[in-house]
Amino acid sequence: GENVEQHPSTLSVQEGDSAVIKCTYSDSASNYFPWYKQELGKRPQLIIDIRSNVGEKKDQRIAVTLNKTAKHFSLHITETQPEDSAVYFCAASRETGANNLFFGTGTRLTVIP
Amino acid sequence: DVKVTQSSRYLVKRTGEKVFLECVQDMDHENMFWYRQDPGLGLRLIYFSYDVKMKEKGDIPEGYSVSREKKERFSLILESASTNQTSMYLCASTPFFRPGGTEAFFGQGTRLTVV
């Protein structure tokens, strides 16, 4: 099965700095890579995703990059704000019918005002 | 516009009790999942189901079972609760592949304490 590793487990940055979270996956057949944000006491919610036919995707201050050859993908948050403080999960999946979603272990991001 | 609903937010049960956690989704999704969330361990898959009456074991199925009698409902059962099953349980659902996305929607979580 798929194995997703995520680093770092905790990350503290000053407000306005950038944050980068990295994930690797093992199954070369995985082709869908979403990122979820979980604020304290709330449910995880999708913030951005990328498919294996794309190398990079941006949405305002958030971007995700994918290197299929190396089997790794990363989340980049620029100009961080206190409301970016949360736990972030990467995931990998084969985007087929009965698609199982394999999650990384999460990164707790703290943005220091 | 809550899409995935778990029956309880907080639950306290005694060791040895049979515990039912219920999850209902209103998006007509085929896939439903139960995860366990513990600090430092992320989201670990207990069971998932891709159709009514179908189930597949995840990474940590021991001590758990599931039931999916209707498409919208997926139940997690702790046959005999133990203290090491104290955790946050999250239900999620996804559709079969559809152009534009297969976003997972999560329930609000059930924090189970076994005493």
Side-chain angles (χ1 to χ4, degrees):
Chain A
E2 174 66 276
N3 181 45
V4 179
E5 296 191 357
Q6 182 172 350
H7 299 282
S9 57
T10 61
L11 180 60
S12 291
V13 299
Q14 293 288 331
E15 183 177 356
D17 287 350
S18 296
V20 180
I21 303 170
K22 298 182 179 182
C23 289
T24 61
Y25 63 99
S26 61
D27 184 359
S28 56
S30 289
N31 57 3
Y32 175 62
F33 307 94
W35 286 86
Y36 288 81
K37 175 183 180 182
Q38 186 179 27
E39 297 176 4
L40 190 63
K42 296 189 177 180
R43 68 192 76 193
Q45 292 191 299
L46 179 72
I47 54 171
I48 194 167
D49 56 17
I50 192 168
R51 290 173 173 81
S52 58
N53 58 345
V54 175
E56 184 176 3
K57 184 176 179 180
K58 286 184 180 179
D59 183 4
Q60 300 183 333
R61 296 185 298 106
I62 294 174
V64 57
T65 58
L66 171 65
N67 183 326
K68 280 185 62 181
T69 303
K71 295 199 191 73
H72 68 71
F73 56 112
S74 301
L75 178 71
H76 304 253
I77 306 174
T78 59
E79 301 173 19
T80 54
Q81 300 169 5
E83 53 264 37
D84 295 328
S85 295
V87 177
Y88 292 80
F89 293 98
C90 63
S93 171
R94 298 183 187 187
E95 206 165 29
T96 57
N99 58 316
N100 194 357
L101 205 51
F102 296 88
F103 284 92
T105 49
T107 297
R108 181 173 297 279
L109 173 64
T110 302
V111 179
I112 304 164
Chain B
D1 63 341
V2 174
K3 296 176 170 57
V4 181
T5 304
Q6 294 180 228
S7 53
S8 304
R9 192 69 189 266
Y10 301 94
L11 214 50
V12 180
K13 295 293 182 180
R14 294 193 182 277
T15 300
E17 276 192 81
K18 191 169 185 175
V19 181
F20 293 86
L21 302 183
E22 307 284 344
C23 176
V24 177
Q25 51 95 5
D26 64 0
M27 295 167 287
D28 201 35
H29 283 173
E30 291 82 3
N31 301 313
M32 295 188 74
F33 307 84
W34 275 106
Y35 293 93
R36 174 175 169 162
Q37 184 174 21
D38 299 289
L41 298 177
L43 297 169
R44 293 184 292 167
L45 182 66
I46 304 171
Y47 269 96
F48 78 98
S49 168
Y50 55 88
D51 200 355
V52 174
K53 297 192 186 297
M54 303 302 291
K55 60 184 179 184
E56 294 285 340
K57 291 182 180 179
D59 299 319
I60 52 166
E62 296 78 19
Y64 304 93
S65 63
V66 290
S67 172
R68 188 144 180 225
E69 296 296 319
K70 293 185 178 181
K71 188 176 184 180
E72 67 269 20
R73 185 179 297 270
F74 192 34
S75 303
L76 180 69
I77 303 156
L78 286 66
E79 297 291 342
S80 177
S82 64
T83 54
N84 62 11
Q85 292 178 310
T86 291
S87 186
M88 171 68 82
Y89 291 87
L90 283 166
C91 173
S93 71
T94 66
F96 277 7
F97 173 66
R98 292 167 190 166
T102 49
E103 178 179 351
F105 289 88
F106 285 84
Q108 77 276 28
T110 296
R111 184 165 294 283
L112 173 67
T113 303
V114 182
V115 297

